[in-house]
């Protein structure tokens, strides 16, 4: 996972020329948030159009036409969308459960200012 405030010297101590996981943590967190929002929106839509969803409470020919237009594949597509975006956010997110201050030092006891071990 990308780290804030690291220098090339930090990675040279580990035998690397540069950061092996470059990236902007704030940008990645924005992507995680956006993916969750898309997944949540798909879930809300699914709750309306799925069988026994909110749409089934409607009456009249207009609602019957809308239900016929939606068909069976829209709920399946919304389920796939919801699952895909939530899964993608989950894959990107574990590194961001660490406090952002944790990115200021590498997670290696041998590095200067790294975590202390007893």
């Amino acid at each position: 996972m990308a780290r804030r405030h690291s220098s090339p010297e930090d990675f040279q101590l580990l035998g690397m020329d540069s950061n092996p996981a470059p990236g902007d943590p704030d940008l990645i967190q924005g992507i995680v948030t956006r993916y969750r929002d898309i997944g949540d929106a798909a879930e809300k839509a699914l709750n309306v159009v799925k069988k026994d969803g909110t749409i089934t409470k409607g009456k009249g020919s207009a609602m019957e036409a809308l239900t016929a237009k939606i068909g069976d594949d829209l709920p399946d597509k919304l389920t796939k969308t919801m699952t895909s975006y939530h899964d993608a956010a989950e894959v990107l997110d574990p590194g961001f459960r660490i406090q952002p201050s944790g990115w200021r030092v590498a997670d290696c006891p041998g590095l200067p200012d790294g975590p202390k071990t007893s």
Side-chain angles (χ1 to χ4, degrees):
M1 195 57 57
R3 303 196 186 287
R4 291 185 183 126
H5 311 295
S6 61
S7 69
E9 292 81 25
D10 293 335
F11 298 103
Q12 288 171 356
L13 288 170
L14 299 171
M16 299 176 197
D17 292 334
S18 63
N19 186 346
D24 180 348
D26 295 327
L27 177 67
I28 295 170
Q29 184 59 54
I31 292 169
V32 168
T33 301
R34 181 71 178 135
Y35 281 7
R36 281 201 180 114
D37 290 346
I38 292 169
D40 292 349
E43 185 174 18
K44 287 177 187 173
L46 177 62
N47 289 332
V48 171
V49 300
K50 68 182 180 182
K51 290 186 182 190
D52 300 323
T54 307
I55 200 168
T56 60
K57 295 180 175 110
K59 303 285 185 221
S61 60
M63 289 306 291
E64 290 170 9
L66 179 59
T67 302
K69 185 79 170 166
I70 289 170
D72 290 331
D73 75 334
L74 181 59
D76 291 340
K77 289 178 181 178
L78 287 170
T79 299
K80 289 176 185 175
T81 300
M82 174 190 69
T83 302
S84 294
Y85 277 93
H86 282 160
D87 288 352
E90 191 63 29
V91 167
L92 290 171
D93 190 46
F96 294 100
R97 292 188 186 129
I98 301 168
Q99 291 290 29
S101 62
W103 283 306
R104 292 196 175 105
V105 295
D107 299 328
C108 180
L111 293 178
D113 301 318
K116 306 295 182 235
T117 58
S118 347

